[in-house]
Amino acid sequence: TTGRSCSGTGTTRHAAQWATTRTELDGTTYPVLVEEVPGITNDALTFHADGSLEVRWQLRPGLKWSDGAPLTAEDLKFALEVSPDPRIESVDVKSDTELSVRYRERVAVALDPIQPMPKHVLKDVHAKGGFEAVRTHRQAHPLPSLGPYHVTKFEEDKILIFERNPHFSGPPASLA
């Protein structure tokens, strides 16, 4: 596969980068990295009297990035810090596996999945140059992934090689 970005495009991105939930073509949303999809049918949503909305994301235990580092609520929080949403009032890490995000008002976007970012790899990049530095770094450098594959080699306009993610939480990918 060739491409201009180490993050890949289209199908290749989905092989490596997974979010907290996924939505199928029929509109059904499934938990991927979390215990349950936040919704009005469970305790993951709290509607406050002041009109704000709190969403709790409970990560499944034992998840790891492809480099072996644990996936934590800090990775979810970091993703929200890199690309902030002005509708968010607060983001609180409750534990290694639980994140609480409070929105100023009840907005549908609160239920959108969070695409975790490996804080252990990108925190210094972000500290030096913010969102643009992270975006540029992601385009040029392989990052740890959460999907069934991870990028092992990348040369702009030449090659993008994926291999099985040894720490993928699901069954091994069908193609080596």
Side-chain angles (χ1 to χ4, degrees):
T1 303
T2 62
R4 298 190 60 81
S5 170
C6 188
S7 299
T9 58
T11 304
T12 60
R13 183 180 306 126
H14 298 294
Q17 303 305 323
W18 282 27
T20 50
T21 63
R22 101 173 171 261
T23 302
E24 294 295 329
L25 293 175
D26 67 2
T28 305
T29 302
Y30 296 96
V32 177
L33 304 175
V34 292
E35 293 286 348
E36 63 185 351
V37 177
I40 59 172
T41 59
N42 58 46
D43 294 335
L45 288 184
T46 303
F47 297 93
H48 295 280
D50 65 0
S52 64
L53 173 64
E54 184 177 354
V55 183
R56 284 179 307 285
W57 296 94
Q58 181 66 50
L59 289 170
R60 293 186 350 214
L63 296 175
K64 293 182 180 183
W65 292 97
S66 59
D67 65 0
L71 170 67
T72 70
E74 285 288 343
D75 295 311
L76 299 178
K77 180 180 181 183
F78 180 67
L80 297 174
E81 290 170 347
V82 168
S83 186
D85 183 331
R87 296 169 286 201
I88 294 176
E89 183 175 298
S90 64
V91 180
D92 298 306
V93 172
K94 302 290 187 183
S95 71
D96 282 348
T97 59
E98 185 180 353
L99 183 77
S100 173
V101 183
R102 190 164 177 158
Y103 290 80
R104 289 182 172 76
E105 53 192 342
R106 297 169 185 174
V107 291
V109 71
L111 299 179
D112 286 351
I114 299 172
Q115 174 69 57
M117 296 184 89
K119 183 177 180 178
H120 66 285
V121 173
L122 294 171
K123 67 182 173 188
D124 292 339
V125 173
H126 183 254
K128 290 178 185 172
F131 172 82
E132 284 302 319
V134 170
R135 185 178 67 79
T136 301
H137 185 87
R138 289 179 68 194
Q139 290 176 341
H141 299 89
L143 294 178
S145 70
L146 296 166
Y149 294 95
H150 67 110
V151 176
T152 57
K153 184 175 182 182
F154 172 74
E155 293 177 36
E156 188 174 337
D157 291 328
K158 292 183 182 175
I159 192 166
L160 177 63
I161 297 178
F162 286 88
E163 290 181 3
R164 285 184 180 143
N165 175 355
H167 299 288
F168 179 57
S169 63
S174 58
L175 300 174

